[in-house]
Amino acid sequence: MPKVLYLLNISNPDRLSADSGWVVADTLLPALVDAGTEAVIAAPAPVTDRRVGFAPTTVPGTKYRARFDGDTAFLADLLRRTRPDVVVANQIESAPLVRAAMLEAGSGAVLAGYCHYLPFSFNRADLVLDPSLSDGGLGRPVLLTFLAGVEALDRVLVHSETAARWLTAAAGRAGLELGERLRIVPPPRDPALVRDSAPGPADGAPLSAVYNHRLYAHYGTEEFLRLTIELASPALRLTVMDLFGHRRSGRSALDASPERFRDALAALPGVEVASDGGDRGRYRQVLAAAHIGIAPYRPSCPWSLSVIDCQAMGLPVISPRLGWMAEHIHPDLLFDTHAEAVKIAARLAGDPAFYAGHSDWARASTESLAPAVIAARYLEAVA
């Protein structure tokens, strides 16, 4: 089995449960160890399983430092000390720097990149830059740096067919050939967020919905706010999760939209804003108290752990017909208008057979994401 060095930037070290990259690592790396792999994570914080080695790194002050800063000498020394067979760059823009450090250290490891996000999406044939990475006109430099990272990789891992299609199209426009380097390996589901059954709403009781996504503007939260005004009623109660809590000043200075939308949503009747305080046990309790989940209006979404969390708990998730959600979520639960969303929610509330069928379908759709299954796929992809 290969020895894996897993390079991970953590943007929320003070709230690890809100950092999807860390949550994936915290589930995936122990599963790789269970499969016989030796794993070391180089990150600002370790994973909870102490069988996984840990090499501490500093926290980038902003999302742009994470993409444009780097320390070749540190990486070369880390490579000499750990002598990995596989290096995983989770910050794709850093891959050329990692490749240079590998050259300096004399490392012949396989360099893989795990594309947790894409800094772009497609609206039909039009490439659209992710607005969250376009401050000060940096959107196109981020895109070009991302593609340079892709070119430096031996293996390019993406989460979904949607992500593979988008990345192939963007790389082709830059004259890059992905070929056999491209592999689809979705993240594993969290075993702690799996249950056998999800009770639907009692007869005459309101439907309880949960929105467990980040409240950034680029997640389409403005549109979700408008949807909430139409959905919330005596027949539907909505819990919106405040996943971040108090953020570091460097992050909130670049984008204060989560706090703004949190306050706007909290002011609506029928809406409760809840925090898990970074406690995954409390997070599970919030999901267990809901009947359905709601996906975000995020066009550039290549995957959503929050959607998978709900589905693994047996919650049907209703979703706008966008991005990866249109690929993954059952067609019965996709909507194009607010009126369609209201109609779907009403049917889930009033038709027990419809609810039970979609609850079972949601849970079944995550069974192939068990950590052991994904670990095997991951090791095959980086071989």
Side-chain angles (χ1 to χ4, degrees), residues 172-192:
R173 293 185 180 200
L176 308 183
E177 178 61 45
L178 299 178
E180 293 299 314
R181 295 187 296 146
L182 181 64
R183 313 292 172 85
I184 298 175
V185 183
R189 69 182 183 182
D190 185 344

Side-chain angles (χ1 to χ4, degrees), residues 61-84:
T62 70
K63 56 191 172 185
Y64 295 111
R65 285 194 182 189
R67 285 161 174 82
F68 298 124
D69 278 0
D71 188 336
T72 307
F74 169 82
L75 285 171
D77 180 64
L78 179 63
L79 288 160
R80 293 187 191 100
R81 287 187 285 112
T82 56
R83 301 179 64 84

Side-chain angles (χ1 to χ4, degrees), residues 31 68 108 126 143 177 186 190 192 199 210 255 264 292-293:
F68 298 124
D126 296 328
L143 169 64
E177 178 61 45
D190 185 344
V210 64
D255 186 350
I292 69 170

Side-chain angles (χ1 to χ4, degrees), residues 23-61:
V23 171
V24 169
D26 196 50
T27 307
L28 174 64
L29 294 181
L32 293 179
V33 173
D34 288 341
T37 300
E38 183 180 354
V40 176
I41 183 171
V47 295
T48 53
D49 191 324
R50 291 302 184 256
R51 296 177 301 164
V52 178
F54 175 53
T57 62
T58 58
V59 180

Side-chain angles (χ1 to χ4, degrees), residues 299-321:
S300 61
C301 182
W303 184 264
S304 172
L305 280 175
S306 295
V307 166
I308 297 299
D309 290 345
C310 286
Q311 291 180 320
M313 292 286 288
L315 305 186
V317 177
I318 68 172
S319 173
R321 200 183 308 273

